[in-house]
Amino acid sequence: DVSVVIIIQNDIMMRRLRLLLSLFITLTWFLVDAASSNGSPSSSRAFYRPHDYDIVNEEVLYEGWRKVIRRTVQSPKLTKHIDFDVIDQTHSTGGAVIIFAWNSTSKSATIIREYMPGCHRVLGGLAAGLVEEKHATEEDAARYELEEECHLAGGTWYRLIDDGVSVPMDKYVQTEIVPYLVVDPHHVPNPRPIDDEEDIEIVTDVSAEEIMQMVKKGDMNLVGGWGALLALVKLRELGEIQ
C-alpha cells in the first residue's frame, strides 16, 4: 500500500531530523562551554581581556579619604601618551563588599538610607564597605559591614559572582567590588559602631517589588542597584520570590 510506505518514510525522516537536532544542540553547548572556560581564568580577581595599553607613569595629585591618581598610558593605537585621572581608596587596596540582607519569613529585605555626598542626596542602599587589613577575607569584611550598618549577623551567605572574581566599580575607579546575599541573619543588640562620618537609617521589611521600584526610580546609586538586582536573581533561584 502506497500510503503505508509514505507513512514509514515520513517516520524515518522525522527520526533522522530529531537525531540531527540533538547532535546540533550537543555540539552548540560544547562550544559555548569551551569558549567560557577559555575566556574566564579562575585565578584572576576579575575577567581579564588582553590589551596593549601600558602604564608609563603614575602621580598622586590629591590624597584624603580618597586619592586622585594621574595615570599616563601608551598604546600602539595612540599617537601620543594619554592622561587619565583615576580614583582609588587611600586606606585600602583590598577592594570593597556590598551585602543584601533577606528575611525568608517576612519575604523582605533590610536596607539602609544615608546621605551620599557625591550626588548630595539621601538615597536607599545596601550595607557596604572596604576590605581592610583587619579583615581575614572579603566575606569577613562583609560580615563586619552588615553588623555595623544593619545590626545583623549570621545567616546563610551567598557570593553573587564567581569565586576569585571582583568587579570594577567604574571606568575611572580602581576599587573592585564583591556582592553578597545573606538569608536570615539575626539581630545584634550591641553592634560594632559605624564610622564617624556615617549617618545611617536602617529600613526593614522592604519587599522585592519595592526594591525594584527603588532601582527604577533612582532611589539607589548604581552599585547598590547592581547588588540588589543580583540578589533578586539569586532569591528567584532559591525559590524565595517569584
Side-chain angles (χ1 to χ4, degrees):
D1 190 280
V2 176
S3 60
V4 173
V5 172
I6 292 174
I7 292 172
I8 293 173
Q9 288 176 339
N10 287 341
D11 183 62
I12 293 172
M13 184 178 297
M14 288 301 298
R15 290 185 182 184
R16 288 176 178 174
L17 286 173
R18 291 192 190 99
L19 177 60
L20 288 173
L21 181 60
S22 176
L23 289 172
F24 174 76
I25 293 172
T26 301
L27 178 61
T28 301
W29 277 111
F30 174 79
L31 292 174
V32 169
D33 183 65
S36 300
S37 298
N38 292 333
S40 54
S42 59
S43 60
S44 173
R45 287 184 55 79
F47 181 84
Y48 182 80
R49 181 173 287 109
H51 60 76
D52 54 11
Y53 289 87
D54 294 316
I55 298 173
V56 296
N57 187 56
E58 284 191 345
E59 176 188 2
V60 177
L61 302 182
Y62 168 80
E63 187 166 359
W65 280 101
R66 306 287 186 273
K67 58 185 175 183
V68 180
I69 303 168
R70 175 65 51 80
R71 174 172 291 173
T72 305
V73 303
Q74 67 177 7
S75 168
K77 301 174 184 176
L78 305 174
T79 58
K80 59 180 181 179
H81 292 175
I82 304 296
D83 292 332
F84 296 100
D85 288 347
V86 177
I87 307 300
D88 195 11
Q89 309 295 335
T90 297
H91 304 290
S92 170
T93 58
V97 291
I98 189 165
I99 310 99
F100 187 99
W102 182 256
N103 185 304
S104 66
T105 302
S106 62
K107 302 298 181 187
S108 65
T110 295
I111 63 171
I112 63 173
R113 190 173 285 126
E114 63 178 330
Y115 172 68
M116 301 193 179
C119 58
H120 190 52
R121 294 163 63 188
V122 174
L123 296 177
L126 308 183
L130 299 176
V131 181
E132 304 176 54
E133 290 185 0
K134 65 182 179 181
H135 303 132
T137 62
E138 291 158 338
E139 185 177 317
D140 187 41
R143 290 176 181 273
Y144 268 71
E145 294 299 332
L146 184 69
E147 180 177 334
E148 290 174 10
E149 298 188 359
C150 290
H151 300 177
L152 297 172
T156 303
W157 286 75
Y158 300 92
R159 186 187 180 102
L160 296 176
I161 54 178
D162 291 347
D163 290 339
V165 169
S166 56
V167 178
M169 182 185 295
D170 180 79
K171 180 178 180 180
Y172 299 102
V173 177
Q174 286 197 172
T175 306
E176 299 192 7
I177 301 177
V178 177
Y180 288 92
L181 163 68
V182 58
V183 178
D184 291 337
H186 60 80
H187 176 69
V188 178
N190 297 300
R192 295 183 178 91
I194 59 176
D195 296 331
D196 293 338
E197 76 278 6
E198 293 178 317
D199 180 17
I200 292 175
E201 175 190 356
I202 300 172
V203 184
T204 60
D205 299 319
V206 184
S207 68
E209 292 77 14
E210 289 172 316
I211 293 290
M212 282 300 303
Q213 287 301 311
M214 292 177 69
V215 173
K216 290 179 179 180
K217 292 180 181 297
D219 193 18
M220 278 192 182
N221 65 27
L222 189 63
V223 174
W226 168 73
L229 291 175
L230 284 176
L232 293 179
V233 170
K234 185 63 178 180
L235 288 169
R236 286 192 184 93
E237 292 178 3
L238 297 172
E240 284 290 323
I241 60 175
Q242 299 300 315

